[in-house]
Amino acid sequence: MKRECLTIIGTAHVSEESVNEVKDAIYEQHPEVVAIELDRGRYIKLKKQMMGIEEDEEISVTRIIKENKVGLFFTSTLLGYFQSKIGADLDVAPGSEMIGAIEASEDLEIPIALIDRDINTTLQRALNKMGFIEKAKFTFGLLASVFGIGDDDEIDVEDLKNPDNLDELMEMFKDEAPSVHEVLVHERDAYLAGRIMQLPQDHVIAVVGAGHKPGIERYLDNPETMPDLRDLEVTNEKRGIPWAKILLAMIPILFVVIFFLAYFSGINITWNIYEFIIISMIMGFIGSILSGSKLISAIVGGLVAPLTIIHPLLAAGWFSGLTEAKFRKVRQSDIKNLSKIESFRDLWDNNIFRILLVVIGTNLGVSIATLVILPSKVFIPLFMKIFGG
C-alpha cells in the first residue's frame, strides 16, 4: 500500500450521506482494492442481508451460559440494539455504508479486504480490562440509553463525522469507561491501520467509522508506534492478582471452616446446617421467581443454591437460566426485534431479556443470602459459640 495512494473515508455507520459518499468515491477513483471495517462474521451477515436471506436460527443460550459468556452476549446484544435503534429512527439500516462499498466494489469487480478485528475478540478484550465498577457504569449507561434515560436532545448523525464533535464524544466516553475506550477505539485504530499497511495493492480506498480515521492516520504517519497485531488478538491476557475474586472465593471457604471448627468444638451444628440449606434454597427460589422465571426454573435455582454457595466456581443463576432456556427458545429474530422495543412490556416479552433476567435474579437472591442473611443468622452465632461469646 502506498500512503499517497490511500483514501480513507470516515463514515457515520447509520447515515445515508455516508452511503452516497462511499459509492461516489469508489466509482470515481476505481481503486485496486476496497478495505472495509468489517470482520468475516459481519461481512457474511451483510452479504446474506444483501441477498434477501432472512435467517431465524436458534441461538444456543445453553452454550453461552455453559461457556460463561453471558457478559459478552449481554454486551454485544445491547450494543447491537443501540445501533439498530438509531438506524431505525433514521430509516437507515446499520452497515448501509459497508453494503454500499460492497455493491460498488462488486459492480466494478474490485476485490474487498476485511480489515477489522473479530467482534467477539474486541468485546472480550474490553470485558477483560474492565473492573467491576467500570462494568457497572458501562452497563447502566447502555441500559439508560435503551430506556431513554438522560439527555433527550436529538443528535444529527452527520455531526458525528465532525472531528471536533468526535473528539468531545470520545473524551466523554474515555472518562466514563476508559478500558472500553482503549479497546474499542485506540486498539482498533492500531489494528485497522496495521491491516491497511499489510495490503499488497498500491491504490486503496478504506471505509471506516469516522471516529477511527484520525487514529488510523496517526499510526500510518508514524508506523514505528504500531503494536504487534498478534498482541491485539489475545483474549486470555494475564492480569494482576484478582483480589475481588479471591475475596469472594474466601467467603464459602470461611463458611466451611466455621462449620468444621464448630463440629470439632463439640457444638451441635445439625440445625445450623438445616438453616444454611433452607435459607439458601429459599433465596435462590425467590430471586428466580421474582425475575419472572418458570416455576421449574425457580425450583432448580433453589435446589442448587446451597452447593453453589460452597463452590465458588458455580452460580445458581446458570442452572435456573439453563432451565429457563429450555422453555424460552431464543432466535435471531429476538435480537433483531430489540430495535423495535418501545416499552418495558415489549422488553419483558423478549426471550433474551427474560433468560438473562432469570440468571441475574437468581444470582442476586443467592448473593443476598450469602452476604447478609447467612452470616447474621448462621455463621456469626456459630462463631460466637466457638469462641465462647
Side-chain angles (χ1 to χ4, degrees), residues 217-289:
E217 290 180 334
R218 280 194 296 270
Y219 279 113
L220 292 176
D221 293 336
N222 304 278
E224 69 279 0
T225 64
M226 183 84 65
D228 190 326
L229 298 193
R230 291 172 296 184
D231 293 339
L232 300 181
E233 295 177 337
V234 176
T235 56
N236 57 344
E237 292 178 294
K238 291 184 178 180
R239 305 180 63 189
I241 300 174
W243 292 111
K245 291 184 178 180
I246 291 175
L247 290 174
L248 289 175
M250 289 296 293
I251 293 175
I253 294 174
L254 181 62
F255 289 174
V256 173
V257 169
I258 291 177
F259 270 136
F260 271 102
L261 287 175
Y263 177 77
F264 286 115
S265 298
I267 299 173
N268 188 344
I269 62 172
T270 302
W271 176 246
N272 299 105
I273 292 176
Y274 286 152
E275 279 186 311
F276 168 78
I277 293 174
I278 291 170
I279 291 172
S280 303
M281 291 176 64
I282 289 175
M283 290 305 297
F285 178 87
I286 290 176
S288 181
I289 206 73

Side-chain angles (χ1 to χ4, degrees), residues 78-80 88 100 114 125 155-156 168 183 188 199 236 252 293 359:
L78 277 180
L79 289 172
L114 307 177
R125 284 181 63 87
I155 299 175
D156 185 342
E168 183 179 349
V183 175
R188 288 180 66 221
L199 295 174
N236 57 344
S293 73
V359 174

